[in-house]
Amino acid sequence: MSTANKYSERLILVGLLLFLLVVWLLNISLGSVYISFQDILNVLFKPDYADTTSYQIIVEYRLPKSITAIITGAALSVSGLLLQTLFRNPMAGPSVLGISSGAGLGVALLILGSQLVGWPLLAESGASFPIIISAIIGAVLVLLLIIGISFRVKSSVTLLIIGLMLGALTTAIISILTYFSKATQLQQFMFWSFGSLGHLTYQELRILGSIVLVVLLSIIPFLKNLNALLLGENYARSMGVSVQRVKQIILLASGILIGVITAWTGPIAFIGLTVPHIARLLLKTSNHFILYPAIILIGSSFLLVCDSVSQLPFNEMVIPVNAITSLIGAPLVIWLILKKKNIVRL
Amino acid sequence: MNNSQTNITLDKLQVGYNMQALHEAFSSKVNTGEFICIIGKNGTGKSTLLRTLAGIQKPVSGQIFLNETDMGHLSLKKIARRIALVLTESLQDPYIRVFDLIALGRQVYTDWKHHLSEVDKNMIHHAISVTQTGELLNKEFYKLSDGQKQRVQLARALAQDTANIFLDEPTNHLDIQYKMDTFLLLQKMARQNQKSILLSTHEISFAMQLADRIWLFDEGNIRDIKPQDKETPQIIEKIFNTESIRFNPKTSTFDFLKK
């Protein structure tokens, strides 16, 4: 039925893909130094441009940063969608439920805690293997805690308040840790917690990209079940969905996505919460077969735009990207709540 | 209907929560094409019984057999091909459209892309025509009236193409016209399409007039009675009569007592 509907949905998806490409090019061309589209294309496709400064800026700095933005935006947005469907709660998201804070606590315990016990294993910068593992463990632990609580309380408001409290708790523990920390570790942790898309090497990008890609692909067979879950767990079960298994897979997938992303980029707020809503508003659907690709495209574009803004084009200054996503995301969420009351029937 | 088959067998079944049974052991059968109403006061366990029989909750003790197979050994998918369920849970999602909701009934038959085959489409259109939901297909579900929502959920259950359909208080929140329509539609589905319909309800008079059998929660016991049995009115009087209302066996309604 409604082939017209499907047609327009596909058209929007193609539009979103084009939008992503444009935003990507813009993101690469903007910055403290402006590089024209022509130059970008030359650098990317003509080998004899390898010695120019444009080449260095693009290949060594802007390109990896923009790829990081694309991967991060997609991964966080997908985790937001998964959590919103799982909890049947439009306000669910990695940062709101305290899952990002959990990842943060994992990293803080590692960076700041290890030196307290005289265990200086993490002097080098960047995301090392232990940081990634501790971020994933932190994220998954908070997720499990939230799940445990969500069995007892059904109200969305209560769940959100508990998420905020968990966030406050982890922040408190982090501040205690920072109080007793040495300056170098403290600085390392502070930079991490601002959220940053830069400083990932191609090697790290390959790892991050493969993990995210594998997780994103492994969710696809369950999209059908997610649609059934929109009706509630009992209905899903009555239609043959083994809800328990789907839940475990969704949780593991979101835990890994939020964990690895947060480990490398630091906590980046609001993307996971906001992007699914933008996608639903734009496509007027909650069908996961359409939302899923749309959210990947919108999430990537959203973070690329935020990153371009945080560069303050034609200026030397850079604002932490985490601040920009909040500055854009928070008002958007407020607007959504006021404008589309039926989105948030708490 | 005399040569009807047994779809579901309840063997010394007890349902409840946390291993606490809500009633004494109950044994009965659901036959093909039967229309059975579960009645009882609030909180006696009607919904719990329905959910347990649908396989989304475990029994406290006893067994349920689906066509002679112990339900405990069946996967959710196998159960979903035999039993469809309509619950009272509300649907929050503001975007889901009627057609997509009905098509979800085909979940258990479709591939991972939820691609609808000709068979799937035929079943969906059959369900739509039986429930007369054709005009609603492009509407958002949450915008429908309660009566329309119920018909759409019923269409989804029909599209699931199961021998049994269970419904938890399907006429809640409906006005008298919709209540009647729903009961008549369900009875028709039992008679004409040979579906076994099992539903919980507070509509005692409808149940008395339309059901083949009534499962009645009576102080910790479930009674398996027929509306036309001689002693049925007495049993209903015993449970539901109060100081101010009395069951009238002639009209199957409750009359207010004048003071």
Side-chain angles (χ1 to χ4, degrees), chain A residues 1-2 5-6 9 88 220-245 277 280-287 289 340 342-343 345-346, chain B residues 51 54-56 76-77 79-80 83-97 99-101 104-114 121 125 137-138 140 142-143 153 156 160:
Chain A
M1 83 121 201
S2 58
N5 229 352
K6 274 187 183 148
E9 276 160 358
R88 291 183 82 202
I220 292 174
F222 298 94
L223 291 179
K224 173 176 127 165
N225 295 339
L226 290 175
N227 281 341
L229 267 176
L230 290 175
L231 302 194
E233 291 183 17
N234 283 336
Y235 269 129
R237 263 189 216 111
S238 84
M239 293 187 287
V241 178
S242 44
V243 172
Q244 220 49 37
R245 198 172 61 117
H277 288 297
R280 286 189 202 104
L281 269 181
L282 196 65
L283 286 133
K284 305 248 182 307
T285 184
S286 44
N287 180 353
F289 287 111
K340 280 282 219 176
N342 59 359
I343 279 186
R345 294 203 225 136
L346 291 173
Chain B
R51 279 200 297 269
I56 56 176
L76 283 167
K77 273 193 178 155
I79 297 172
I83 302 172
L85 191 60
V86 176
L87 297 164
T88 45
E89 286 171 23
S90 64
L91 176 58
Q92 306 279 315
D93 190 279
Y95 291 109
I96 198 153
R97 278 166 205 278
F99 181 88
D100 295 330
L101 181 62
L104 276 179
R106 300 302 296 170
Q107 270 264 334
V108 72
Y109 304 100
T110 56
D111 61 0
W112 65 271
K113 289 179 289 186
H114 195 53
K121 283 179 190 160
H125 286 294
L137 297 182
N138 264 317
E140 284 126 345
Y142 86 101
K143 285 185 180 163
Q153 285 288 12
R156 184 193 53 77
Q160 207 170 322

Side-chain angles (χ1 to χ4, degrees), chain B residues 30-186:
Chain B
V30 179
N31 299 317
T32 306
E34 265 193 312
F35 184 38
I36 302 176
C37 291
I38 307 173
I39 58 180
K41 291 183 172 171
N42 276 333
T44 44
K46 298 188 294 291
S47 305
T48 315
L49 176 62
L50 214 56
R51 279 200 297 269
T52 310
L53 289 177
I56 56 176
Q57 192 176 326
K58 293 243 178 304
V60 172
S61 72
Q63 282 169 300
I64 304 162
F65 295 94
L66 250 181
N67 300 32
E68 271 130 56
T69 316
D70 187 343
M71 203 154 157
H73 300 307
L74 288 172
S75 67
L76 283 167
K77 273 193 178 155
K78 288 210 171 110
I79 297 172
R81 285 165 189 252
R82 308 252 182 89
I83 302 172
L85 191 60
V86 176
L87 297 164
T88 45
E89 286 171 23
S90 64
L91 176 58
Q92 306 279 315
D93 190 279
Y95 291 109
I96 198 153
R97 278 166 205 278
V98 170
F99 181 88
D100 295 330
L101 181 62
I102 297 174
L104 276 179
R106 300 302 296 170
Q107 270 264 334
V108 72
Y109 304 100
T110 56
D111 61 0
W112 65 271
K113 289 179 289 186
H114 195 53
H115 172 75
L116 298 175
S117 68
E118 280 310 307
V119 180
D120 294 322
K121 283 179 190 160
N122 289 339
M123 280 314 302
I124 291 169
H125 286 294
H126 170 69
I128 290 167
S129 76
V130 171
T131 53
Q132 301 179 322
T133 41
E135 289 163 17
L136 309 173
L137 297 182
N138 264 317
K139 295 211 163 99
E140 284 126 345
F141 181 77
Y142 86 101
K143 285 185 180 163
L144 306 182
S145 72
D146 286 331
Q148 291 171 327
K149 280 182 186 167
Q150 203 58 47
R151 291 214 315 266
V152 170
Q153 285 288 12
L154 196 55
R156 184 193 53 77
L158 266 179
Q160 207 170 322
D161 191 23
T162 54
N164 312 280
I165 300 181
F166 296 171
L167 307 98
D168 192 10
E169 298 186 16
T171 56
N172 254 6
H173 310 299
L174 302 188
D175 65 27
I176 187 82
Q177 177 74 41
Y178 271 126
K179 274 184 185 163
M180 238 172 51
D181 289 349
T182 308
F183 264 90
L184 286 174
L185 177 60
L186 291 171

Side-chain angles (χ1 to χ4, degrees), chain A residues 12-226:
Chain A
I12 294 180
L13 284 181
V14 172
L16 286 174
L17 184 64
L18 291 176
F19 181 72
L20 172 63
L21 290 176
V22 171
V23 176
W24 192 1
L25 278 178
L26 266 176
N27 179 276
I28 293 176
S29 86
L30 292 176
S32 52
V33 183
Y34 170 75
I35 302 172
S36 71
F37 281 5
Q38 188 61 48
D39 280 350
I40 294 173
L41 294 179
N42 286 340
V43 164
L44 290 180
F45 298 110
K46 290 188 183 166
D48 47 330
Y49 275 75
D51 292 333
T52 58
T53 41
S54 294
Y55 179 90
Q56 282 186 342
I57 293 173
I58 289 173
V59 172
E60 279 165 29
Y61 184 66
R62 289 187 190 177
L63 193 60
K65 187 160 64 65
S66 67
I67 295 173
T68 312
I70 287 170
I71 296 173
T72 304
L76 289 179
S77 307
V78 164
S79 72
L81 173 72
L82 295 179
L83 293 172
Q84 286 172 10
T85 301
L86 185 69
F87 288 105
R88 291 183 82 202
N89 186 335
M91 285 290 112
S95 45
V96 183
L97 290 177
I99 301 162
S100 303
S101 319
L105 181 62
V107 174
L109 279 173
L110 195 75
I111 298 182
L112 306 173
S114 62
Q115 45 115 17
L116 288 183
V117 291
W119 206 27
L121 80 165
L122 289 157
E124 82 276 20
S125 65
S128 61
F129 186 67
I131 288 194
I132 294 153
I133 293 299
S134 55
I136 293 177
I137 291 173
V140 170
L141 280 183
V142 173
L143 251 174
L144 289 177
L145 202 59
I146 295 269
I147 305 284
I149 295 167
S150 76
F151 281 132
R152 289 162 186 271
V153 291
K154 292 279 172 245
S155 150
S156 309
V157 182
T158 322
L159 201 63
L160 294 182
I161 294 171
I162 289 167
L164 287 175
M165 291 305 116
L166 285 177
L169 269 177
T170 51
T171 314
I173 299 172
I174 290 172
S175 74
I176 293 171
L177 285 172
T178 52
Y179 186 79
F180 291 108
S181 293
K182 294 194 185 94
T184 46
Q185 271 84 12
L186 195 58
Q187 195 187 30
Q188 190 189 354
F189 180 74
M190 286 308 283
F191 274 125
W192 177 85
S193 69
F194 282 142
S196 163
L197 302 170
H199 69 245
L200 260 77
T201 63
Y202 281 103
Q203 176 64 26
E204 287 174 311
L205 268 179
R206 264 196 287 277
I207 300 169
L208 179 64
S210 328
I211 296 174
V212 169
L213 188 68
V214 167
V215 176
L216 291 187
L217 287 176
S218 54
I219 292 166
I220 292 174
F222 298 94
L223 291 179
K224 173 176 127 165
N225 295 339
L226 290 175

Side-chain angles (χ1 to χ4, degrees), chain A residues 264-331:
Chain A
W264 260 296
T265 66
I268 290 178
F270 276 104
I271 300 256
L273 174 62
T274 323
V275 171
H277 288 297
I278 299 175
R280 286 189 202 104
L281 269 181
L282 196 65
L283 286 133
K284 305 248 182 307
T285 184
S286 44
N287 180 353
H288 288 76
F289 287 111
I290 299 149
L291 276 188
Y292 193 67
I295 276 170
I296 290 173
L297 294 171
I298 298 173
S300 307
S301 312
F302 189 91
L303 196 51
L304 278 173
V305 171
C306 288
D307 179 61
S308 301
V309 174
S310 81
Q311 295 302 309
L312 298 176
F314 320 116
N315 194 312
E316 298 282 315
M317 289 216 314
V318 177
I319 304 170
V321 72
N322 196 12
I324 303 294
T325 55
S326 297
L327 275 175
I328 299 176

